[in-house]
Amino acid sequence: MSSSHVIGLTTPLSVKDVEGLRAGDRVLISGIIYTARDAAHKRLLSLIERGKSLPFPPEGQIIYYVGPSPAPPGRIIGAAGPTTSYRMDPYTPRLLELGLKGMIGKGKRSTQVREAMVKNKAIYMAAIGGAGALMSTVIKEAKVIAYEDLGPEAIRRLTVDQLPAIVVNDTLGNDLYEDGEKRYQII
Amino acid sequence: MRKISAKHLTEVIKREVIAANLQLGDDMIEALRRARNIEESEVGKEILDKLLENAELASANRIPICQDTGLVVIFAELGQEVCIVDGDFTEAIEEGVRVGYQEGYLRKSVCHPFTRENTGDNTPVIIHLDMVPGDRLRLWVVPKGGGSENMSALYMLPPSAGWNGVKEKVVETVVRAGPNPCPPTIVGVGIGGNFEKCAILAKKALLRPVSEPNPVAELQAMEVELLEEINKSGVGPEGLGGRVTSLAVHINMMPCHIASLPVAVNIQCHANRHREVLL
């Protein structure tokens, strides 16, 4: 999403990085991000409950909700667009308490997650759902680091270069989905 | 009797699941272009541009349009003068999906409901088989994504609800789904039948090319009315606000029990993949 107000973000993110962002800001994310969706989140939470360490330290990191399609020969990854985020809501507040700073997905988050983002200073960003082929072009490296048995749901460490996203929920509690819908609603 | 070999059927299914996932249909490209002209939101316009670019890139680079390459739904109209030889009809289709998803580098997205263990080959396939006159086999190959399927719903309304009740449920379902099913969507609506038939009517409504009007004038008018209502919501492309929440509403209707008014809403994301083949 190219536009005049595009903010470059490099991981890991600091509190200052996320506090400076507002719902509606376009961002281009570069650096390392981690993939996790339903099954991986369940396992991460089980590790946290048992006091074990996670496959990656969540402090300052971004989780991208994605289950990519397999990489064809000669390619780094297959299609890799975002999956719907609400399914990760039950697991998210705990990860935010551990210092997770950002999430990339699509779709609305629960009140609990939104409150946890305000409390723990974190942001939620949307990527274009269904633009999997386009998203694969910004991924420069992909490596499974945990849960290989989960196939598409394994945790991958991705190196991304200018991954385009838009801030939906900021640290002040704003929500771009609510604002956007209201703006174009015809009553 | 005309013979169609199971092996041929497997080859066709293999080819079609790959093609469906790599090439967005012309009807959808055209619909997205039209939406681009109507959309007023700047973000919405950009998204529609990106979706068109994505479709081009997928086809050029031979990678799926969307990473969710779906649970495969097959609608089959089998002519009663056709005989499937040298194999089993269902197995032939499942083998086509198995091989297609492997060779086409498509994501295997089918798992056990509770253990969530992946079946590993994207089977089973959901097959709807109708027997029809003639000696042909018509197939629709529809890989259906989970995100939009999750936002779908079925309601058993009282007959007193009438058209207004149906309208309210359809609009409510689409608007409540908001950004989740990747708008702009196609909305398949089934009205009548019974509990399971109504859902199948809704899904089957999605097979109609987006550019084609409903051949039944009464239904066509209902579709226009529903689309207008939905697009007043402001949900817009990807739910970020805008004029185009849905690209089309498709209705299938049939008589129902005197006690019922079933209505099913099957939401389809903009990666609306459906291929039709006639053997």
Side-chain angles (χ1 to χ4, degrees):
Chain A
M1 284 179 255
S2 59
S3 171
S4 46
H5 320 285
V6 181
I7 300 158
L9 281 183
T10 305
T11 60
L13 302 180
S14 66
V15 170
K16 199 172 157 232
D17 287 333
V18 296
E19 277 186 330
L21 294 166
R22 290 289 169 268
D25 284 347
R26 325 286 180 88
V27 293
L28 290 170
I29 302 158
S30 298
I32 285 168
I33 61 173
Y34 296 91
T35 74
R37 39 174 292 157
D38 310 58
H41 271 78
K42 195 175 175 187
R43 290 192 187 177
L44 290 178
L45 264 286
S46 159
L47 288 177
I48 295 170
E49 277 163 20
R50 288 179 288 141
K52 302 236 166 108
S53 65
L54 302 183
F56 65 93
E59 294 91 355
Q61 301 304 329
I62 293 178
I63 292 181
Y64 180 20
Y65 303 142
V66 58
S69 63
R75 296 207 156 267
I76 293 155
I77 201 163
T83 194
T84 325
S85 308
Y86 73 88
R87 300 193 312 270
M88 272 52 80
D89 284 353
Y91 309 110
T92 301
R94 196 73 191 85
L95 289 166
L96 293 172
E97 282 170 20
L98 293 176
L100 181 72
K101 280 284 158 270
M103 295 153 285
I104 308 166
K106 66 167 168 101
K108 289 178 188 170
R109 307 309 301 264
S110 68
T111 311
Q112 288 86 340
V113 171
R114 287 167 58 179
E115 284 171 1
M117 278 190 270
V118 174
K119 191 174 160 203
N120 298 289
K121 309 283 182 208
I123 51 161
Y124 168 57
M125 299 161 279
I128 302 182
L134 202 56
M135 290 295 278
S136 79
T137 62
V138 299
I139 298 168
K140 303 303 171 190
E141 272 180 67
K143 188 180 189 307
V144 172
I145 60 157
Y147 314 144
E148 193 152 18
D149 63 298
L150 292 178
E153 298 204 60
I155 294 185
R156 289 168 171 80
R157 186 172 56 219
L158 305 181
T159 306
V160 297
D161 183 27
Q162 306 207 327
L163 183 152
I166 185 161
V167 179
V168 171
N169 296 111
D170 59 27
T171 56
L172 298 180
N174 294 310
D175 186 303
L176 182 63
Y177 288 132
E178 284 180 2
D179 298 347
E181 193 174 320
K182 270 186 212 140
R183 200 167 150 200
Y184 288 94
Q185 199 170 43
I186 300 167
I187 305 164
Chain B
M1 290 295 269
R2 180 166 165 253
K3 290 174 182 169
I4 295 177
S5 81
K7 204 177 157 199
H8 180 53
L9 183 54
T10 295
E11 277 304 310
V12 169
I13 295 291
K14 174 192 143 184
R15 182 188 75 207
E16 294 301 321
V17 291
I18 295 174
N21 276 297
L22 267 46
Q23 275 171 281
L24 193 61
D26 291 341
D27 63 327
M28 282 305 298
I29 302 275
E30 201 188 302
L32 289 170
R33 283 199 187 124
R34 271 202 309 271
R36 173 66 176 77
N37 291 334
I38 298 166
E39 187 52 63
E40 292 169 20
S41 139
E42 285 307 316
V43 177
K45 283 182 202 172
E46 280 178 41
I47 288 168
L48 293 164
D49 282 338
K50 293 285 179 195
L51 294 180
L52 287 161
E53 191 186 334
N54 182 66
E56 257 176 54
L57 205 64
S59 160
N61 291 352
R62 295 195 60 76
I63 47 174
I65 301 158
C66 176
Q67 72 290 337
D68 185 353
T69 51
L71 172 62
V72 179
V73 180
I74 303 282
F75 282 92
E77 286 181 358
L78 181 65
Q80 58 188 24
E81 289 156 47
V82 176
C83 183
I84 305 293
V85 295
D86 299 328
D88 171 87
F89 177 77
T90 302
E91 177 47 33
I93 289 177
E94 298 220 316
E95 183 62 11
V97 167
R98 219 171 268 137
V99 179
Y101 272 67
Q102 196 55 38
E103 291 183 10
Y105 298 92
L106 306 179
R107 195 181 79 181
K108 290 85 186 167
S109 311
V110 184
C111 71
H112 184 282
F114 292 122
T115 67
R116 311 306 291 178
E117 192 188 338
N118 201 298
T119 63
D121 58 9
N122 222 50
T123 68
V125 177
I126 312 289
I127 302 172
H128 301 288
L129 177 61
D130 279 321
M131 195 161 268
V132 297
D135 66 352
R136 311 296 295 270
L137 169 60
R138 191 183 294 272
L139 296 162
W140 285 267
V141 178
V142 189
K144 182 72 166 71
S148 57
E149 198 73 353
N150 279 346
M151 296 295 115
S152 302
L154 185 129
Y155 307 93
M156 300 302 284
L157 299 179
S160 61
W163 165 239
N164 281 337
V166 167
K167 197 161 90 173
E168 192 183 306
K169 282 297 175 198
V170 174
V171 175
E172 178 190 302
T173 305
V174 177
V175 176
R176 195 179 49 211
N180 293 351
C182 287
T185 52
I186 313 294
V187 185
V189 179
I191 303 172
N194 63 356
F195 181 75
E196 82 277 8
K197 186 67 183 180
C198 190
I200 295 171
L201 286 175
K203 176 137 284 154
K204 224 173 167 175
L206 295 173
L207 303 180
R208 203 175 90 210
V210 181
S211 45
E212 264 178 35
N214 197 312
V216 183
E218 177 199 7
L219 299 183
Q220 168 65 17
M222 285 154 73
E223 289 178 359
V224 170
E225 194 176 333
L226 281 174
L227 184 64
E228 212 177 282
E229 268 320 300
I230 288 168
N231 284 340
K232 279 182 190 169
S233 68
V235 171
E238 297 288 336
L240 293 169
R243 296 279 167 243
V244 190
T245 303
S246 294
L247 299 164
V249 176
H250 290 180
I251 303 178
N252 267 334
M253 188 163 83
M254 73 179 287
C256 55
H257 192 279
I258 52 172
S260 314
L261 175 50
V263 55
V265 186
N266 197 190
I267 302 183
Q268 168 65 58
C269 63
H270 56 71
N272 178 19
R273 295 152 290 187
H274 53 95
R275 304 265 303 179
E276 185 181 338
V277 269
L278 184 62
L279 304 183

